[in-house]
Amino acid sequence: DQQVKQNSPSLSVQEGRISILNCDYTNSMFDYFLWYKKYPAEGPTFLISISSIKDKNEDGRFTVFLNKSAKHLSLHIVPSQPGDSAVYFCAASGAGNNDMRFGAGTRLTVKP
Amino acid sequence: EPEVTQTPSHQVTQMGQEVILRCVPISNHLYFYWYRQILGQKVEFLVSFYNNEISEKSEIFDDQFSVERPDGSNFTLKIRSTKLEDSAMYFCASSQRSGTEAFFGQGTRLTVV
């Protein structure tokens, strides 16, 4: 099941700089997109979401951008902090469906 | 803050044995899910549950798996005859509305030996 793809398994950035995490999807029926953050031995924690009727959603240091024509979304974290170091999962759900499909995750490391 | 709770945190079982993983979703949520993550791999959808019945399930969720909401609070995942490849972290999640943000429990690590 490759409907949601995160092609970068890892990303390393310096504290204070911007982190950009990318996600691509193939199913045009997806209309709701989410980012989750996961620490080791814990469940995924909801971070931010965006509906397909929008192209941007911002919450504090976190902004999600959606490009429907390219079937691409990205998560921007600025400024990045060492506590942001975790695995970030992109997820998508579609028109009335009750399942979310997850990407493989990107491990973000923010260096002090 | 309300949270999804899962028990046990770690379960070790012999191959072929039945296991039941338990979850208490957030109380005013209506949609319930099970996901799993095999070590080093992606989080995979297993099943969603609404109004006392399965609403969607993935190809992973075969006849060995079943879910139940035996009372008003618990949501369980049963694996009838465990296989080695069932070893994974199993996450329960719940949401208020269909297709929106789900809140996850801490997970149950299932080890089949």
Side-chain angles (χ1 to χ4, degrees):
Chain A
D1 182 346
Q2 292 288 304
Q3 295 186 65
V4 179
K5 299 177 189 178
Q6 292 176 258
N7 292 319
S8 298
S10 64
L11 173 69
S12 181
V13 300
Q14 207 65 38
E15 181 179 7
R17 305 293 289 269
I18 185 170
S19 296
I20 300 176
L21 299 138
N22 293 303
C23 177
D24 298 292
Y25 61 96
T26 56
N27 190 339
S28 56
M29 297 300 289
F30 288 144
D31 62 0
Y32 198 75
F33 305 90
L34 310 94
W35 284 95
Y36 282 84
K37 177 178 175 180
K38 187 179 182 303
Y39 294 115
E42 293 186 12
T45 302
F46 170 71
L47 202 54
I48 192 168
S49 62
I50 188 167
S51 162
S52 60
I53 62 172
K54 294 186 174 182
D55 54 19
K56 177 182 175 182
N57 188 26
E58 194 171 349
D59 183 3
R61 296 185 298 113
F62 303 92
T63 303
V64 56
F65 294 92
L66 175 63
N67 181 335
K68 287 189 292 294
S69 61
K71 293 192 177 69
H72 177 84
L73 63 155
S74 60
L75 175 69
H76 292 209
I77 307 173
V78 55
S80 301
Q81 299 172 355
D84 296 329
S85 298
V87 178
Y88 288 78
F89 291 96
C90 167
S93 64
N97 285 344
N98 290 333
D99 62 341
M100 273 186 298
R101 301 290 171 164
F102 280 76
T106 297
R107 180 177 301 279
L108 173 67
T109 303
V110 180
K111 297 179 179 178
Chain B
E1 185 174 319
E3 59 180 18
V4 176
T5 57
Q6 290 185 244
T7 54
S9 56
H10 191 188
Q11 172 96 43
V12 181
T13 189
Q14 294 267 348
M15 190 169 58
Q17 294 295 304
E18 173 183 287
V19 293
I20 297 176
L21 309 182
R22 302 181 194 279
C23 170
V24 179
I26 294 173
S27 60
N28 64 342
H29 285 185
L30 301 176
Y31 297 85
F32 313 112
Y33 314 86
W34 283 100
Y35 286 80
R36 78 172 185 190
Q37 185 181 28
I38 294 171
L39 186 63
Q41 297 186 24
K42 66 194 297 184
V43 176
E44 300 173 295
F45 169 75
L46 292 178
V47 66
S48 60
F49 192 86
Y50 171 71
N51 201 26
N52 283 321
E53 61 183 24
I54 291 173
S55 48
E56 308 211 27
K57 60 182 181 178
S58 72
E59 53 280 356
I60 302 168
F61 194 88
D62 60 22
D63 291 343
Q64 293 297 316
F65 292 88
S66 62
V67 289
E68 196 177 33
R69 191 156 158 80
D71 52 43
S73 59
N74 289 287
F75 179 51
T76 61
L77 174 69
K78 182 192 290 186
I79 309 175
R80 260 180 272 283
S81 176
T82 50
K83 304 187 283 285
L84 294 176
E85 53 265 37
D86 293 328
S87 296
M89 281 290 286
Y90 287 81
F91 294 106
C92 173
S94 68
S95 65
Q96 274 191 321
R97 300 189 310 275
S98 170
T100 61
E101 51 267 25
F103 293 85
F104 284 76
Q106 297 283 75
T108 293
R109 179 174 298 284
L110 176 65
T111 303
V112 182
V113 297

